[in-house]
Amino acid sequence: MSHEYYMHRCLQLAELAKGYTAPNPMVGAVLVHQNRVIGEGYHHFRGGPHAEVNCLNNVVPADRHLIPESTMYVSLEPCAHHGLTPPCAARLVQERVREVIIANRDPFARVDGRGIAILQAAGIAVTTGVLEAEGRWLNRRFFCAHTLKRPWVILKWAQTSDGFVGTADRQPVAISGPEAQVASHRWRTEEGAIMVGHTTALNDNPRLTPRWHNGKHPLRIVTDRHLQLPATHHILNEEAATWVVNECEETVAGNVHYIKVPWGQPLLPSLLGRLYDAGILSLIVEGGPTLHQSFITQNLWDEARIITATGKTLGVGLPAAILGSKQPVCTRHLGTDVCTLYTNNNAYPWVTGMDW
């Protein structure tokens, strides 16, 4: 079997923990002895054992004597520091693993090559860059946070086939079907935060919770410059933590945090900076079109998921935001709807509908 074969398995394992490891990355590991897998593991949740440790712990007693003759495949460079868990690079040295194959070097400043150096200093052969692009896509949120110092931003909206996201008078209207709505709720569980603008919160009164899919609740964010949202609106309830971005006050009331930002300056960079400081790796922006267009105009987006209700038209109404000249990366069918994925830099032409 090739290095790519086993690294694919690492990435499959890592993705099992999507939505549960942040602000840490998703990591999978496979231990191979003479083309036989003797151990597998992945990082299940933040604070739990890392992928390499789970992989080694899953080796059955009858195979433990094979570890020094085996190759460890791992999707991200083994950590080199004491955080919530001990350094994995030291554990691999202790176990005398013969070789380590890595997809991505860790961009986190406390690792960033130090794990590789520890392995090499102990005489362990190290190879990097195996399925590097695929590994970077899997952990795109983590890489974005540590390179751009802001969360990975996903724009998401549903539109009619003639390009409208709502009626002209902004009355709530169902556009996407049940399959797309279930997918949207699953996406919510996979991201750190979810955002709408003041007008959408006022008119649609959304909950922004994953009611149709089991999983964790994202941090809810709403812009409310003058704190005019009614206290009875869902987004201010106790179902999940909420940030109300405003220019009036910085305070906390139960699950609601009032985040004061300088409104006279660009709002979005300030907000993304606050989210980064809070350890939020990703933000999904659900509306409305004015907010979407602000992210697009300021070039502060990374991924767009546009659900089109085929055959459904409004004729007139509230038009969707415009991405510009971006080319679609791929599409997937969600019942009768079609969801198209775009990326800001068009760097992921191999991504399929199963990767998101």
Side-chain angles (χ1 to χ4, degrees), residues 170-220:
R170 295 181 181 268
Q171 291 301 306
V173 58
I175 293 178
S176 58
E179 293 88 350
Q181 292 175 27
V182 170
S184 296
H185 282 225
R186 176 174 62 81
W187 293 338
R188 290 176 179 180
T189 70
E190 296 170 353
E191 311 307 334
I194 183 171
M195 183 177 184
V196 294
H198 176 272
T199 302
T200 297
L202 186 64
N203 292 335
D204 295 355
N205 193 17
R207 284 183 167 84
L208 302 186
T209 56
R211 300 177 303 285
W212 292 5
H213 186 84
N214 291 329
K216 68 175 184 59
H217 290 241
L219 170 69
R220 302 180 297 189

Side-chain angles (χ1 to χ4, degrees), residues 111-135:
V111 185
D112 196 15
R114 291 176 177 84
I116 293 171
I118 289 172
L119 298 175
Q120 292 175 329
I124 297 174
V126 177
T127 300
T128 62
V130 176
L131 297 188
E132 183 175 13
E134 288 87 341

Side-chain angles (χ1 to χ4, degrees), residues 43-95:
H43 181 42
H44 290 235
F45 55 89
R46 179 178 183 265
H50 286 189
E52 301 94 319
V53 173
N54 282 329
C55 179
L56 290 165
N57 290 345
N58 286 334
V59 177
V60 299
D63 286 338
R64 292 203 60 81
H65 71 284
L66 300 176
I67 293 176
E69 304 168 15
S70 300
T71 298
M72 172 70 77
Y73 291 84
V74 61
S75 56
L76 191 71
E77 175 184 0
C79 63
H81 64 292
H82 283 270
L84 296 177
T85 61
C88 293
R91 173 67 182 272
L92 295 178
V93 171
Q94 176 187 337
E95 297 278 0

Side-chain angles (χ1 to χ4, degrees), residues 193-199 201 219-229 235-236 242-251 256-275 283 291 295:
I194 183 171
M195 183 177 184
V196 294
H198 176 272
T199 302
L219 170 69
R220 302 180 297 189
I221 302 173
V222 60
T223 55
D224 187 14
R225 181 175 183 177
H226 301 299
L227 299 180
Q228 295 175 320
L229 282 176
I235 202 166
L236 301 179
T242 300
W243 281 12
V244 179
V245 182
N246 69 95
E247 69 171 357
C248 302
E249 62 183 49
E250 179 98 18
T251 187
V256 180
H257 295 233
Y258 293 89
I259 306 296
K260 185 176 181 180
V261 297
W263 221 269
Q265 301 174 20
L267 170 65
L268 298 183
S270 297
L271 173 60
L272 294 178
R274 291 289 296 266
L275 288 170
L283 169 68
L291 183 62
F295 276 95

